[in-house]
Amino acid sequence: MTTARIELPPKLVPVFRPPRGAVRYRGAYGGRGSGKSFSFALMAAVWGYAEKLRILCTRELQVSIKESFHAELKNAIQSQPWLEAAYDVGIDYIRGKNGTEFVFRGLRHNMSGIKSMAQIDLCIVEEAEDVPEHSWTDLEPTIRAPKSEIWVVWNPKREGSSVDQRFIQNPPDNALIARMNYNDNPWFPSVLDKARERDREIMDRAKYAHVWEGDYLRNSDSQVFSGRYTVEEFTPGDNWQGPFCGLDFGFASDPTAAVKAWIHDETLYIEHEGGGVGMELDDTAAYIKQRVPGIERYATFADSARPESISYLQRHGLPRIRSVKKWPGSVEDGIEHIKTYRRVVTHPRCKQTAREFMLYSYKVDKYTGEVLTTLVDSENHYIDALRYALSERIRHKPIVFEAL
């Protein structure tokens, strides 16, 4: 008999040691770089290899297959040649050659369809922090096949959230839940470790603890947009101003980032975002156009530090892209301009933009704890793109020269 060896972070070995059906819940929570999502994807693929299963992969909001667990599963399957040989991985599906089927659905708009599904053997709830109580109430009775299980993966944000109440504050007896952080991942990559070290130097303690150590996000005076933004669904109206489009070029581990925004009733709405780390310039226009519909038809303001990239994109898919004007203090003026809106609303599909609005911060004196007026140059790439998009509406402060 041929055997295969699967390596997991040590903290997850007890979580997956009991056989299928021995517990009702398995899960992991914590900060960035822990490997928890990949590990759960790998074990789901292994279980689906061992026997024919119907596996529901869900999150609160899934607008497209790109925003699902599909990519994580694909990477996990491709990491093992014997798993890759056992699965047919398509653009929007994953099927085992033994009949195993992965189904991808968002809870918010598909609950009635999920309720009608038969024989769900395993349900994986990703980004479980965002799942409200009514979704849990509807979902759990649906997963009722013999030996069925629910797996939960999340990054903690709010103490008292539904997932926090269910699996940390009041964990059920039939649950195996592990806290996982970067230092629990034996394969934590060096490039992420460099980013973590940098964040430890420039972030305040509360923000660093949330991002890398899986702590709740505590309100901090250092958060630039604390209390000034929300995440809501919306549809732009015919009388809205815009769209306003902006693009920030990535470098090294920083992402290329593009946004499309609107203004209505003193409210700034971010409708679409697109971007990623390590994006080649040759691929940028096609990638952005796919994720920010219609951006090629509108004036798009981009970082003037990259004129050669702007020129290239003008000839290859984004004909109306142009350099943004900058001036001393333009970053601070742009941030203050964004703060003048009554509200800032990001569409739920704009996850990275919403994340930056949550994490963008001022520097904090490491000795006194005093919040400084200097902005931390981190967690700000989509916000930079938004500043560029609004650049024509931002009025910079005049420079005053005093006579001697």
Side-chain angles (χ1 to χ4, degrees):
M1 180 178 67
T2 303
T3 59
R5 178 182 175 86
I6 293 294
E7 292 185 326
L8 293 173
K11 270 196 173 182
L12 289 182
V13 172
V15 173
F16 287 106
R17 181 174 288 125
R20 187 171 79 86
V23 296
R24 173 64 169 172
Y25 308 96
R26 304 179 203 245
Y29 66 97
R32 183 184 300 171
S34 66
K36 54 187 178 294
S37 292
F38 179 86
S39 298
F40 273 72
L42 179 61
M43 290 307 298
V46 170
W47 280 25
Y49 171 89
E51 58 180 311
K52 178 182 175 180
L53 298 176
R54 194 176 198 203
I55 302 173
L56 171 65
C57 302
T58 189
R59 58 175 63 183
E60 175 61 13
L61 184 70
Q62 178 185 306
V63 178
S64 68
I65 197 70
K66 299 180 184 67
E67 298 171 350
S68 73
F69 205 49
H70 183 279
E72 203 73 65
L73 284 162
K74 179 181 177 181
N75 290 336
I77 289 169
Q78 291 178 341
S79 73
Q80 304 290 334
W82 55 277
L83 280 178
E84 192 169 18
Y87 282 95
D88 177 16
V89 180
I91 294 176
D92 57 359
Y93 67 87
I94 297 177
R95 303 187 190 105
K97 295 181 180 178
N98 64 350
T100 285
E101 176 189 15
F102 286 87
V103 181
F104 304 93
R105 297 286 188 276
L107 293 173
R108 184 177 301 181
H109 301 304
N110 297 282
M111 186 57 75
S112 59
I114 291 173
K115 287 181 178 180
S116 66
M117 288 183 183
Q119 192 63 36
I120 298 176
D121 301 295
L122 171 61
C123 175
I124 304 173
V125 184
E126 190 195 12
E127 297 185 0
E129 174 72 26
D130 299 329
V131 178
E133 184 59 29
H134 65 82
S135 290
W136 286 111
T137 302
D138 288 340
L139 175 66
E140 291 213 47
T142 302
I143 315 303
R144 57 179 182 271
K147 298 170 63 176
S148 61
E149 294 190 12
I150 297 174
W151 294 1
V152 190
V153 182
W154 77 101
N155 290 47
K157 183 188 302 180
R158 181 171 58 87
E159 187 172 10
S161 67
S162 290
V163 69
D164 180 70
Q165 288 285 354
R166 285 170 169 269
F167 298 109
I168 298 181
Q169 304 298 334
N170 303 287
D173 294 335
N174 55 351
L176 293 173
I177 309 293
R179 177 168 179 164
M180 293 281 298
N181 287 316
Y182 72 91
N183 52 351
D184 299 310
N185 181 3
W187 306 281
F188 183 59
S190 60
V191 65
L192 272 187
D193 198 36
K194 291 178 181 177
R196 182 191 64 81
E197 289 286 358
R198 180 170 181 267
D199 285 350
R200 187 171 62 176
E201 289 294 319
I202 63 179
M203 287 180 176
D204 67 72
R205 177 58 194 167
K207 180 178 169 185
Y208 176 85
H210 168 66
V211 173
W212 291 103
E213 297 177 355
D215 286 358
Y216 303 115
L217 181 62
R218 310 292 184 183
N219 287 332
S220 170
D221 291 338
S222 70
Q223 291 172 261
V224 174
F225 295 106
S226 178
R228 295 177 176 270
Y229 71 95
T230 61
V231 178
E232 301 173 15
E233 292 192 31
F234 63 86
T235 301
D238 294 337
N239 62 335
W240 288 22
Q241 299 178 60
F244 302 92
C245 300
L247 187 147
D248 183 39
F249 292 106
F251 179 76
S253 60
D254 293 338
T256 293
V259 298
K260 181 181 181 182
W262 303 80
I263 297 172
H264 177 66
D265 192 22
E266 300 181 49
T267 300
L268 177 62
Y269 293 89
I270 298 96
E271 182 191 15
H272 288 285
E273 69 174 27
V277 176
M279 189 179 303
E280 297 291 342
L281 189 60
D282 291 350
D283 303 325
T284 297
Y287 186 93
I288 295 300
K289 287 194 293 184
Q290 185 179 18
R291 289 156 179 79
V292 185
I295 190 172
E296 70 277 6
R297 303 198 304 270
Y298 304 105
T300 300
F301 294 89
D303 188 351
S304 57
R306 301 282 291 275
E308 72 288 351
S309 298
I310 292 173
S311 177
Y312 179 89
L313 293 178
Q314 285 174 339
R315 304 190 308 272
H316 296 86
L318 295 176
R320 301 196 62 188
I321 192 170
R322 63 184 71 172
S323 295
V324 71
K325 297 177 182 178
K326 292 186 178 181
W327 57 87
S330 60
V331 174
E332 290 78 6
D333 288 349
I335 297 305
E336 290 306 312
H337 175 80
I338 294 172
K339 287 183 177 181
T340 64
Y341 293 96
R342 186 168 56 87
R343 290 196 307 155
V344 177
V345 179
T346 63
H347 195 283
R349 71 170 71 93
C350 300
K351 295 182 181 297
Q352 296 305 316
T353 306
R355 180 178 176 277
E356 289 190 357
F357 267 93
M358 177 178 66
L359 295 178
Y360 195 31
S361 64
Y362 295 104
K363 288 184 178 180
V364 176
D365 188 290
K366 64 174 61 179
Y367 300 107
T368 66
E370 179 185 358
V371 178
L372 307 177
T373 58
T374 306
L375 291 161
V376 176
D377 188 18
S378 177
E379 310 291 355
N380 58 349
H381 308 292
Y382 289 85
I383 289 175
D384 281 350
L386 182 62
R387 285 194 302 104
Y388 300 155
L390 299 169
S391 60
E392 295 291 284
R393 302 176 66 90
I394 298 170
R395 297 291 180 263
H396 65 273
K397 299 172 184 176
I399 300 174
V400 177
F401 295 93
E402 294 185 359
L404 297 176

